[in-house]
Amino acid sequence: MTRHSIYLLFALSFLYACSTIDCPVQNTVYTVYNIYDGDETATLSDTLYVWTPRPDGRDTLLNRVVNVTKFDLPISYQHPVDTLVFYMTDTTNQWTLDTVWIMKDDIPHFESVDCSPSFFHRLTSVRSTHLGIDTIIINHSQVDYDASTAHFHITFKDRR
């Protein structure tokens, strides 16, 4: 075997080894909010906007959502508290503005050196103003790639 053949064989084996790494395609971690009315799942008939205040302006997370029973929002990677502003309007243009504070622990998550870094989270508490939001509670405190689990149960006040 020539030296070039050995280098070629080494390069091919290296490429094959790298192709077996299973990095997640979507590694954004989301929190899921289920909407309730008492013990029953409810549909939000008002239009909902959610943003987070940032020093460089506000960052819209949810825009003009209506007639939903659940929604999901990203969560920050390295802040102990996420601040969210919930803005709702109804068909008569009456609006409410609530602030939600989510306290959490950030947990670094390692897949592989070839994968981008990610964080999982443990929700420790949640509180809000109560102009349009009646209650918000933590249903499942562990936040990871699983978007099928509701992390929060939220009930909005009746505005009829």
Side-chain angles (χ1 to χ4, degrees):
M1 241 177 158
T2 67
R3 184 174 8 169
H4 294 291
S5 298
I6 292 173
Y7 289 140
L8 181 61
L9 189 61
F10 176 73
L12 288 174
S13 67
F14 180 73
L15 288 175
Y16 175 73
C18 289
S19 67
T20 61
I21 294 173
D22 193 19
C23 295
V25 176
Q26 174 61 282
N27 70 347
T28 304
V29 178
Y30 288 92
T31 52
V32 178
Y33 296 73
N34 278 6
I35 301 169
Y36 283 87
D37 183 9
D39 292 335
E40 300 291 323
T41 302
T43 300
L44 179 65
S45 58
D46 293 340
T47 303
L48 176 64
Y49 305 80
V50 179
W51 70 82
T52 184
R54 297 176 63 143
D56 58 347
R58 66 179 192 216
D59 186 10
T60 301
L61 303 174
L62 202 61
N63 191 18
R64 296 185 190 184
V65 174
V66 66
N67 294 326
V68 295
T69 58
K70 69 178 184 175
F71 56 91
D72 56 343
L73 297 173
I75 193 164
S76 70
Y77 277 5
Q78 296 184 357
H79 298 289
V81 178
D82 282 0
T83 304
L84 306 174
V85 178
F86 282 60
Y87 173 76
M88 290 186 302
T89 61
D90 63 14
T91 55
T92 64
N93 290 325
Q94 292 182 349
W95 58 274
T96 58
L97 192 66
D98 276 302
T99 304
V100 174
W101 295 272
I102 301 168
M103 284 60 72
K104 62 187 177 52
D105 295 327
D106 300 319
I107 304 162
H109 177 69
F110 179 77
E111 297 275 342
S112 166
V113 293
D114 295 323
C115 299
S116 58
S118 63
F119 286 84
F120 289 167
H121 310 279
R122 184 175 48 256
L123 304 173
T124 56
S125 66
V126 62
R127 65 184 175 90
S128 72
T129 57
H130 295 285
L131 299 174
I133 295 174
D134 184 41
T135 58
I136 183 168
I137 61 167
I138 296 173
N139 176 59
H140 185 74
S141 63
Q142 300 301 318
V143 183
D144 53 25
Y145 297 139
D146 180 16
S148 65
T149 302
H151 300 99
F152 295 100
H153 288 180
I154 186 167
T155 304
F156 293 98
K157 291 182 178 179
D158 187 10
R159 297 181 356 138
R160 290 179 241 179

